[in-house]
Coordinates of all heavy atoms in Angstrom, one line a residue:
V68 N -5.9 -36.0 -9.0 CA -4.7 -35.2 -8.9 C -4.4 -34.7 -10.4 O -4.0 -33.5 -10.6 CB -3.5 -35.9 -8.3 CG1 -2.2 -35.0 -8.5 CG2 -3.7 -36.1 -6.8
S69 N -4.5 -35.6 -11.3 CA -4.2 -35.3 -12.7 C -5.1 -34.2 -13.2 O -4.7 -33.2 -13.9 CB -4.3 -36.5 -13.6 OG -4.1 -36.2 -14.9
T70 N -6.4 -34.3 -12.9 CA -7.4 -33.3 -13.4 C -7.2 -31.9 -12.7 O -7.4 -30.9 -13.3 CB -8.8 -33.7 -13.2 OG1 -9.1 -34.0 -11.8 CG2 -9.2 -35.0 -14.0
I71 N -6.7 -32.0 -11.5 CA -6.4 -30.7 -10.7 C -5.2 -30.0 -11.4 O -5.2 -28.8 -11.7 CB -6.1 -31.0 -9.3 CG1 -7.4 -31.4 -8.6 CG2 -5.6 -29.7 -8.6 CD1 -7.2 -31.9 -7.1
I72 N -4.1 -30.8 -11.7 CA -3.0 -30.2 -12.3 C -3.3 -29.6 -13.7 O -2.7 -28.6 -14.1 CB -1.8 -31.3 -12.4 CG1 -1.3 -31.6 -11.0 CG2 -0.7 -30.7 -13.2 CD1 -0.3 -32.7 -10.9
S73 N -4.1 -30.3 -14.4 CA -4.5 -29.9 -15.8 C -5.3 -28.6 -15.8 O -5.5 -28.0 -16.8 CB -5.1 -31.0 -16.6 OG -6.5 -31.2 -16.0
G74 N -5.9 -28.3 -14.6 CA -6.8 -27.2 -14.5 C -8.3 -27.5 -14.9 O -9.1 -26.6 -14.8
A75 N -8.5 -28.8 -15.1 CA -9.9 -29.2 -15.5 C -10.8 -29.2 -14.3 O -12.0 -29.2 -14.4 CB -9.9 -30.6 -16.1
Q76 N -10.2 -29.3 -13.1 CA -11.0 -29.3 -11.9 C -10.3 -28.5 -10.8 O -9.1 -28.6 -10.6 CB -11.2 -30.8 -11.4 CG -12.2 -30.9 -10.2 CD -12.6 -32.4 -10.0 OE1 -12.1 -33.3 -10.7 NE2 -13.4 -32.6 -9.0
R77 N -11.1 -27.7 -10.0 CA -10.5 -26.9 -8.9 C -10.9 -27.5 -7.6 O -11.9 -28.2 -7.5 CB -11.1 -25.5 -9.0 CG -10.6 -24.7 -10.2 CD -11.1 -23.3 -10.2 NE -10.7 -22.6 -8.9 CZ -9.5 -22.1 -8.8 NH1 -8.6 -22.2 -9.7 NH2 -9.1 -21.5 -7.6
V78 N -10.1 -27.3 -6.6 CA -10.3 -27.8 -5.2 C -11.1 -26.7 -4.5 O -10.6 -25.6 -4.3 CB -9.0 -28.1 -4.5 CG1 -9.3 -28.5 -3.1 CG2 -8.2 -29.2 -5.2
T79 N -12.3 -27.0 -4.2 CA -13.2 -26.0 -3.4 C -13.6 -26.6 -2.1 O -14.2 -25.8 -1.3 CB -14.4 -25.6 -4.3 OG1 -15.1 -26.8 -4.7 CG2 -13.9 -24.9 -5.6
S80 N -13.5 -27.9 -1.9 CA -14.0 -28.5 -0.7 C -13.0 -28.2 0.5 O -11.8 -28.4 0.4 CB -14.1 -30.0 -0.9 OG -14.3 -30.7 0.3
F81 N -13.6 -27.8 1.6 CA -12.8 -27.5 2.8 C -12.1 -28.8 3.3 O -10.9 -28.8 3.7 CB -13.7 -27.0 3.9 CG -13.0 -26.8 5.2 CD1 -12.2 -25.7 5.4 CD2 -13.2 -27.7 6.3 CE1 -11.5 -25.5 6.7 CE2 -12.6 -27.5 7.5 CZ -11.8 -26.4 7.7
D82 N -12.8 -29.9 3.2 CA -12.3 -31.2 3.7 C -11.1 -31.6 2.8 O -10.1 -32.1 3.3 CB -13.3 -32.3 3.6 CG -14.4 -32.2 4.7 OD1 -14.1 -31.5 5.7 OD2 -15.5 -32.7 4.5
V83 N -11.1 -31.4 1.5 CA -10.0 -31.7 0.6 C -8.8 -30.8 0.9 O -7.7 -31.3 1.0 CB -10.4 -31.7 -0.8 CG1 -9.2 -31.9 -1.8 CG2 -11.5 -32.7 -1.1
V84 N -9.1 -29.5 1.1 CA -8.0 -28.6 1.5 C -7.3 -29.1 2.8 O -6.0 -29.1 2.9 CB -8.5 -27.2 1.6 CG1 -7.3 -26.3 2.1 CG2 -9.0 -26.7 0.3
C85 N -8.1 -29.5 3.7 CA -7.5 -30.0 5.0 C -6.7 -31.3 4.8 O -5.6 -31.5 5.4 CB -8.6 -30.3 6.0 SG -9.4 -28.8 6.7
R86 N -7.2 -32.2 3.9 CA -6.4 -33.4 3.6 C -5.1 -33.1 2.9 O -4.1 -33.8 3.2 CB -7.3 -34.4 2.8 CG -8.5 -34.9 3.5 CD -8.9 -36.3 2.9 NE -9.1 -36.3 1.5 CZ -10.2 -36.2 0.9 NH1 -11.3 -35.9 1.6 NH2 -10.3 -36.3 -0.4
I87 N -5.1 -32.1 2.0 CA -3.9 -31.7 1.4 C -2.9 -31.1 2.4 O -1.7 -31.5 2.4 CB -4.2 -30.7 0.3 CG1 -4.9 -31.3 -0.9 CG2 -2.9 -30.1 -0.3 CD1 -5.5 -30.4 -1.9
A88 N -3.4 -30.3 3.3 CA -2.5 -29.7 4.3 C -1.9 -30.8 5.2 O -0.7 -30.8 5.5 CB -3.3 -28.7 5.2
D89 N -2.7 -31.7 5.7 CA -2.2 -32.7 6.6 C -1.4 -33.8 5.9 O -0.4 -34.3 6.4 CB -3.4 -33.4 7.3 CG -4.2 -32.5 8.2 OD1 -3.6 -31.4 8.6 OD2 -5.4 -32.7 8.5
G90 N -1.8 -34.1 4.6 CA -1.0 -35.2 3.9 C 0.4 -34.7 3.5 O 1.3 -35.5 3.6
L91 N 0.5 -33.5 3.1 CA 1.8 -33.0 2.6 C 2.5 -32.2 3.7 O 3.6 -31.7 3.5 CB 1.6 -32.1 1.4 CG 1.1 -32.8 0.1 CD1 0.8 -31.8 -1.0 CD2 2.0 -33.9 -0.3
R92 N 1.9 -32.0 4.9 CA 2.4 -31.3 6.0 C 2.7 -29.8 5.6 O 3.8 -29.3 5.8 CB 3.7 -31.9 6.5 CG 3.5 -33.2 7.3 CD 2.6 -32.9 8.6 NE 2.6 -34.0 9.5 CZ 1.6 -34.9 9.7 NH1 0.6 -34.8 8.9 NH2 1.7 -35.8 10.6

Side-chain angles (χ1 to χ4, degrees):
V68 172
S69 179
T70 58
I71 291 171
I72 292 176
S73 70
Q76 188 169 0
R77 293 185 56 81
V78 177
T79 57
S80 166
F81 175 77
D82 289 339
V83 174
V84 174
C85 290
R86 293 210 304 269
I87 292 171
D89 294 340
L91 297 175
R92 287 298 193 258

